[in-house]
Amino acid sequence: MSDILITQEMIDIISNINNDIRSTRNKVLVSANQELIYLYFRIGKTISENSKYGSNFINTLSSSLKTEFPGSTCFSPRNLARMRKFYEVYGDLSNLPPAAAKRFCFISC
């Protein structure tokens, strides 16, 4: 085998690929975070709209979701109550300021 001479051009190509990977990973994380915010908002809306079932509804929903998604920790009664509050405070995601989106990334799944 012959030794490969690494040129500045090769270093630049590798650097560009590294930057592209980092950029794409960041875009994926932002997109995933945005989708989670929308999911939490929809769950909060459903909980709020079904308040007629009382406070036990959140506990029942939490138990059901934990059974369906056993590895997830984001469906505790406390987090579900936060999702409801998120919906009730904003009511419409078009009103959500960008800084608030970061504030509501409190639920880890």
Side-chain angles (χ1 to χ4, degrees):
M1 292 193 157
S2 64
D3 290 329
I4 298 176
L5 180 62
I6 298 178
T7 65
Q8 184 60 46
E9 184 178 5
M10 290 174 62
I11 292 171
D12 291 344
I13 291 168
I14 292 169
S15 178
N16 288 339
I17 291 171
N18 287 339
N19 290 335
D20 191 19
I21 291 169
R22 284 187 186 94
S23 174
T24 300
R25 284 181 174 174
N26 188 47
K27 289 175 186 176
V28 167
L29 290 173
V30 167
S31 176
N33 191 40
Q34 183 178 16
E35 289 303 317
L36 285 174
I37 289 171
Y38 292 149
L39 171 65
Y40 300 152
F41 184 84
R42 291 190 307 270
I43 291 172
K45 179 179 181 187
T46 301
I47 293 169
S48 182
E49 289 174 345
N50 289 284
S51 61
K52 63 186 173 193
Y53 295 110
S55 61
N56 197 37
F57 178 68
I58 287 180
N59 293 330
T60 303
L61 176 60
S62 176
S63 294
S64 176
L65 293 174
K66 286 178 182 179
T67 300
E68 186 69 26
F69 306 100
S72 180
T73 59
C74 60
F75 300 121
S76 68
R78 181 178 179 182
N79 281 342
L80 293 174
R82 288 177 172 172
M83 291 177 203
R84 180 190 65 214
K85 181 72 171 177
F86 175 47
Y87 167 75
E88 290 173 352
V89 167
Y90 289 96
D92 179 2
L93 284 181
S94 66
N95 296 329
L96 185 64
K102 292 180 182 177
R103 219 176 37 237
F104 280 102
C105 296
F106 52 80
I107 304 169
S108 59
C109 289

